Amino acid sequence: MSTALTTIYRKTAIATAIAFALTTIPNTYAEDEESAVEEVIVTGVARPTTKLESSMSVSALSAEEVTDFAPRSTAEVFRNIPGIQAESSSGDANSNIKVRGVPISAGGSRYLSMQEDGFPMLLVGDAAFATADSFLRFDTTVASVQSIRGGSASTQAANSPGGIVNFISKTGAQNSGSVGLTVGLDYASNRVDFEYGTEVGDGYDYHIGGFYRVGEGPREAVTNLENGGQIKANLGKDFDDGSIRFFAKVQHDKVPTYLPIPARYDGGKNFSEVGVGFADGTLHLDETDYLNRVEEGVEAINLEDGFESRVASFAIVGDYDFSDMLSGKFKHRTASIDGNFSGPFPAEVYDNAAGNPSARIHYFNTRLDSLDNQFTDVSLTASFPTVDVTAGVASNSQDLNTTWGWNTYFRELDGARTAFDQDGSVGGVLYGHPLWGNCCQRNYNFDIDGNAPYLSLSGDAGANFSWDASIRRDSYDVDGAFAEAAVLAPQDINGDGSIGTNEQEVPSIGDSRRANYKVNFNSWSVGGNYALNDNMALFANISEGGSLSSPDRVTGSITAAGTIQNDSAYSLIDQQEIGFKYRGDNASFYVTYFNAETSEAREFEVTTQSFKENTYEASGFEFEGDYELANGFGVKGSLTLTDPEITKTGDGSNVGNKPRRQADYIYNITPYYQADRWNVGLNLVGTDEVFVQDNNDLKFDAYTTANLYFNYDLNERVSFSVNANNLFDAEGFTEGEEGSAAVGDYVRIRPINGRTISGTVRYNF
């Protein structure tokens, strides 16, 4: 047994002893604790349940908790969910998100479904430059954030064997509203949030809200990279035998994209800045980028646009009781999604001919032509005395239409980002990216259609034991075309009337190849929960789930006929977990042992220009708890311990190593104080050291960020808040390109944001 796993078992024994000791705590504050713990969980389960009664690991964060934790992006919302490691250093788009012990060979959130009101944002979670978090925003319209890890997540949604995170909107049942102004006190950001909901009689209620923001963002930029917002609304009606609710959302938002930046390796786990500040620096340029597009010809795009998202969606959810025994449910959402990804990637860092630190920047400029999708789910539930049986079918579809076009910019790493010429560039600009063989003037045009019949059973065996079992069969048809081989030719692409030395080999999109393949896999889950008494329970579950690979990741396995080689277009995860739950009157404690085996499909990674095909195994423990004292003080938090290993790779290298960027532990802990009219808390979020790459040489050090919040109610209507994210300006890194380096070498790494402090004034009505 490894040292890390031995430590895990030792700490678990101590923690379990503490859990049983908590059963002697007096029942002093039952009302507050019960309201928090007993929130009904509707995410990733066959029937609504509570945290204590569930046969799997579930969590819920209230909107107030999330706001207190001062997230600066969607991914940072996830950092206080047990078991989820969110690499939230990329801004409000394009984050890498892992679920306890389930690594990711490429990017995105391949095994985690990010949802809004029970509907996935995207069907696939690992499309290049189009991750689900890029189109999901947290604002004051959100009532709570629910999550499930493992278990029935594999059967209750598409491509979600690792888990589900669901942003649940407020409805008119709250009969309240608010408007708030948030201002960056030490960074340029201004944001207005508003929301209002009410009941209007005869069973109707509605809620509407959203936000608008403008500013530079938490890192330095030439212009206001943050610019935009969203509006959400829902309307519901309760009938005697059912209900119906309509949801609508319009989003048009621009946010900065933060990619790795240059640095110097100083030995050990130490790095130093090279012309770009770790806390707030970027390589963003204020230039006009000229690109060949498929039908439009040359398109001029300002590089300062960052990531632009445009979403328009409409959804309907209805349920009806046909009789005391039989009920039905219908869910449908249609979403139109497009946008553009623009971000600077340092393809090479070196001293130029003048001896100055410099970067060859490949500007990732990818147009998201269409990510339109539809999700439909129809089910019937029959309720018998000891078992509920649900049978349904899910029908899912999504476009994956993107157009890539990257140019090269040569810049010195000085304050002015001074341009210099190299390799035939003019004014520091070279149209194309010959360092990577002009690999990435590309076009993808895929249609993904899927159907998934499923069956869920849940029931009780006596007063203390409940169980559930489910199975799902996913079948996908992928059809379309892709063009990855660029055509090089002289072209006056910038339209200045002449063909310069930097326009001699301008890449344009070449011939297309067909794709027409099918993917089928089964997912299943079995779990049980045994109540020891009113306050304690034991639970266990086993599951297997599949995840469809994004078609743009697996083109290297598509044959000339358009079929897929070796059925290598999906990944599988086998998971087991067993846990203990305690819920007292002023405390709760949950501990879960988990094991996960992940077999990944062969997929292409852009930044390393390589294919990944790995198998992993990981086991560990997940702890979650809270304790409330009688005098207003309290503490809550979670800890996840993981012992991961690479068990197989496509080329046989790195077997036995730890997966890159996989921490042995991650944690969050929040001590707080609640007074009559104010409260204060310090949210600590930490991670262990990690290996930068699978070769297990270069390391990033462990780090902890402290996030302070203070809220004061001036009266029943007006409140003030101050939130500090990374209060002590901790230095930390989440992603790197080089797996090895000698002291003094240049490397490319992605740091977390430095300290940002915001103030909010809110009026409640």
Side-chain angles (χ1 to χ4, degrees):
M1 184 180 296
S2 70
T3 302
L5 195 53
T6 302
T7 302
I8 289 173
Y9 278 110
R10 185 170 63 250
K11 291 181 178 179
T12 301
I14 297 172
T16 304
I18 294 172
F20 280 99
L22 288 175
T23 60
T24 64
I25 296 173
N27 297 340
T28 312
Y29 293 92
E31 184 176 346
D32 290 342
E33 175 62 23
E34 187 170 345
S35 65
V37 174
E38 288 296 302
E39 177 174 351
V40 176
I41 303 297
V42 297
T43 298
V45 292
R47 63 176 179 176
T49 185
T50 65
K51 193 166 182 175
L52 192 65
E53 297 169 343
S54 172
S55 67
M56 60 214 73
S57 299
V58 296
S59 298
L61 293 173
S62 68
E64 291 76 14
E65 287 178 300
V66 175
T67 301
D68 285 342
F69 297 153
R72 301 294 185 237
S73 67
T74 302
E76 286 193 353
V77 173
F78 302 156
R79 64 189 178 186
N80 281 278
I81 298 175
I84 294 184
Q85 183 177 344
E87 296 179 355
S88 54
S89 55
S90 63
D92 227 338
N94 200 47
S95 295
N96 300 323
I97 301 174
K98 299 186 280 266
V99 183
R100 57 183 191 191
V102 180
I104 295 178
S105 287
S109 55
R110 186 177 299 167
Y111 308 113
L112 180 72
S113 177
M114 297 185 200
Q115 299 186 357
E116 196 167 48
D117 296 311
F119 292 98
M121 287 306 303
L122 297 177
L123 179 57
V124 292
D126 62 342
F129 308 107
T131 57
D133 67 299
S134 303
F135 308 98
L136 185 63
R137 301 286 185 267
F138 180 87
D139 61 19
T140 55
T141 66
V142 176
S144 68
V145 179
Q146 293 189 355
S147 72
I148 176 175
R149 283 86 64 198
S152 63
S154 62
T155 61
Q156 299 301 310
N159 306 313
S160 59
I164 300 170
V165 176
N166 187 16
F167 284 25
I168 299 176
S169 297
K170 295 176 181 177
T171 67
Q174 282 79 21
N175 280 303
S176 63
S178 67
V179 59
L181 172 65
T182 301
V183 177
L185 301 181
D186 61 349
Y187 69 108
S189 179
N190 299 285
R191 171 171 168 150
V192 175
D193 283 79
F194 71 96
E195 54 90 17
Y196 178 71
T198 187
E199 297 175 328
V200 291
D202 197 26
Y204 285 96
D205 70 80
Y206 73 89
H207 191 275
I208 186 170
F211 75 92
Y212 180 79
R213 62 179 166 190
V214 62
E216 184 181 44
R219 289 183 172 269
E220 295 178 352
V222 180
T223 61
N224 287 332
L225 288 180
E226 290 186 344
N227 194 340
Q230 70 178 15
I231 295 177
K232 294 168 55 184
N234 64 77
L235 171 67
K237 164 72 173 174
D238 289 329
F239 304 95
D240 291 338
D241 296 318
S243 66
I244 190 169
R245 186 165 296 274
F246 302 92
F247 298 86
K249 168 180 165 179
V250 176
Q251 179 189 112
H252 189 183
D253 197 22
K254 291 184 180 181
V255 295
T257 50
Y258 303 137
L259 296 174
I261 61 175
R264 192 186 308 274
Y265 178 54
D266 296 332
K269 292 172 281 188
N270 302 308
F271 303 87
S272 57
E273 297 176 354
V274 181
V276 186
F278 287 159
D280 61 359
T282 71
L283 286 173
H284 281 282
L285 304 176
D286 189 9
E287 301 270 352
T288 299
D289 210 28
Y290 297 94
L291 303 165
N292 283 314
R293 298 303 199 188
V294 178
E295 297 175 354
E296 297 83 352
V298 176
E299 184 176 11
I301 299 175
N302 192 294
L303 294 179
E304 277 295 284
D305 282 348
F307 187 98
E308 182 176 12
S309 64
R310 291 181 293 268
V311 181
S313 65
F314 179 80
I316 179 173
V317 176
D319 61 82
Y320 186 77
D321 295 331
F322 297 100
S323 68
D324 291 340
M325 288 185 56
L326 185 65
S327 62
K329 190 169 186 178
F330 173 79
K331 297 172 57 179
H332 175 80
R333 192 199 70 188
T334 297
S336 172
I337 302 177
D338 63 80
N340 198 87
F341 181 107
S342 177
F345 181 83
E348 187 180 24
V349 185
Y350 57 99
D351 291 333
N352 65 5
N356 299 322
S358 304
R360 178 196 295 257
I361 301 171
H362 288 173
Y363 233 102
F364 293 170
N365 214 327
T366 300
R367 189 176 65 191
L368 311 178
D369 301 296
S370 175
L371 300 170
D372 296 356
N373 56 65
Q374 294 191 62
F375 294 91
T376 303
D377 193 304
V378 181
S379 63
L380 290 173
T381 298
S383 298
F384 301 100
T386 59
V387 63
D388 292 343
V389 180
T390 299
V393 60
S395 177
N396 311 311
S397 65
Q398 182 186 306
D399 296 342
L400 182 59
N401 303 339
T402 61
T403 303
W404 301 16
W406 305 349
N407 290 322
T408 301
Y409 293 82
F410 295 98
R411 294 292 186 271
E412 292 188 358
L413 298 174
D414 55 10
R417 296 288 180 264
T418 302
F420 65 94
D421 287 328
Q422 181 182 326
D423 297 349
S425 66
V426 176
V429 181
L430 180 62
Y431 296 107
H433 44 286
L435 181 68
W436 286 358
N438 287 307
C439 69
C440 299
Q441 186 77 24
R442 300 182 171 191
N443 177 251
Y444 296 104
N445 192 345
F446 296 108
D447 296 321
I448 309 168
D449 293 299
N451 289 289
Y454 60 88
L455 180 68
S456 300
L457 296 88
S458 57
D460 301 313
N464 296 333
F465 184 73
S466 60
W467 58 272
D468 56 80
S470 53
I471 188 169
R472 176 187 179 105
R473 171 70 172 179
D474 281 280
S475 300
Y476 292 100
D477 290 321
V478 180
D479 185 69
F482 62 98
E484 295 181 330
V487 175
L488 304 179
Q491 182 183 359
D492 178 21
I493 191 170
N494 62 11
D496 65 357
S498 64
I499 297 178
T501 58
N502 60 344
E503 298 173 308
Q504 297 301 310
E505 292 186 322
V506 177
S508 58
I509 294 172
D511 294 335
S512 295
R513 292 175 50 197
R514 290 292 303 167
N516 189 352
Y517 61 89
K518 298 181 184 296
V519 177
N520 301 284
F521 54 83
N522 297 322
S523 301
W524 57 268
S525 171
V526 177
N529 186 84
Y530 182 76
L532 300 171
N533 54 41
D534 290 342
N535 299 97
M536 292 188 293
L538 299 173
F539 73 96
N541 65 72
I542 57 175
S543 64
E544 181 178 272
S547 180
L548 177 72
S549 300
S550 179
D552 62 335
R553 297 279 191 182
V554 298
T555 54
S557 298
I558 296 178
T559 68
T563 59
I564 200 79
Q565 295 178 357
N566 303 320
D567 203 25
S568 59
Y570 69 96
S571 304
L572 280 177
I573 302 180
D574 291 301
Q575 297 179 91
Q576 307 86 39
E577 62 179 354
I578 184 170
F580 166 81
K581 295 179 283 189
Y582 165 78
R583 185 203 66 199
D585 295 328
N586 60 341
S588 64
F589 180 79
Y590 309 87
V591 58
T592 304
Y593 167 79
F594 61 85
N595 181 268
E597 297 181 8
T598 307
S599 300
E600 295 197 316
R602 180 175 181 262
E603 300 194 355
F604 181 71
E605 184 177 56
V606 174
T607 55
T608 61
Q609 295 289 289
S610 63
F611 287 93
K612 305 288 185 182
E613 186 180 7
N614 295 344
T615 299
Y616 309 93
E617 183 173 1
S619 57
F621 288 88
E622 180 180 281
F623 304 89
E624 182 183 7
D626 62 82
Y627 179 62
E628 183 178 342
L629 285 73
N631 56 4
F633 287 96
V635 63
K636 52 191 171 185
S638 68
L639 167 69
T640 304
L641 307 174
T642 308
D643 186 22
E645 182 182 359
I646 302 172
T647 57
K648 183 181 178 182
T649 63
D651 59 8
S653 63
N654 302 321
V655 173
N657 288 356
K658 286 186 177 181
R660 63 180 182 180
R661 311 200 309 265
Q662 179 66 53
D664 284 350
Y665 67 79
I666 57 174
Y667 71 90
N668 69 81
I669 183 169
T670 305
Y672 61 89
Y673 176 75
Q674 177 72 53
D676 289 338
R677 296 177 62 175
W678 61 275
N679 65 84
V680 64
L682 185 67
N683 172 229
L684 303 172
V685 179
T687 178
D688 192 16
E689 64 184 19
V690 297
F691 287 109
V692 180
Q693 293 290 345
D694 289 344
N695 65 337
N696 285 190
D697 186 6
L698 203 61
K699 272 188 174 183
F700 289 146
D701 205 357
Y703 66 88
T704 298
T705 61
N707 311 297
L708 178 71
Y709 66 88
F710 173 78
N711 303 309
Y712 179 77
D713 294 331
L714 183 64
N715 53 45
E716 292 182 355
R717 299 290 187 183
V718 181
S719 63
F720 298 95
S721 303
V722 175
N723 296 76
N725 192 313
N726 195 2
L727 176 65
F728 301 115
D729 217 13
E731 184 178 273
F733 307 101
T734 65
E735 181 178 328
E737 302 306 312
E738 286 76 21
S740 301
V743 175
D745 282 355
Y746 291 123
V747 294
R748 298 159 296 166
I749 58 181
R750 189 155 71 177
I752 63 173
N753 292 336
R755 177 176 50 246
T756 54
I757 303 175
S758 64
T760 301
V761 58
R762 189 174 309 281
Y763 179 77
N764 301 295
F765 52 90

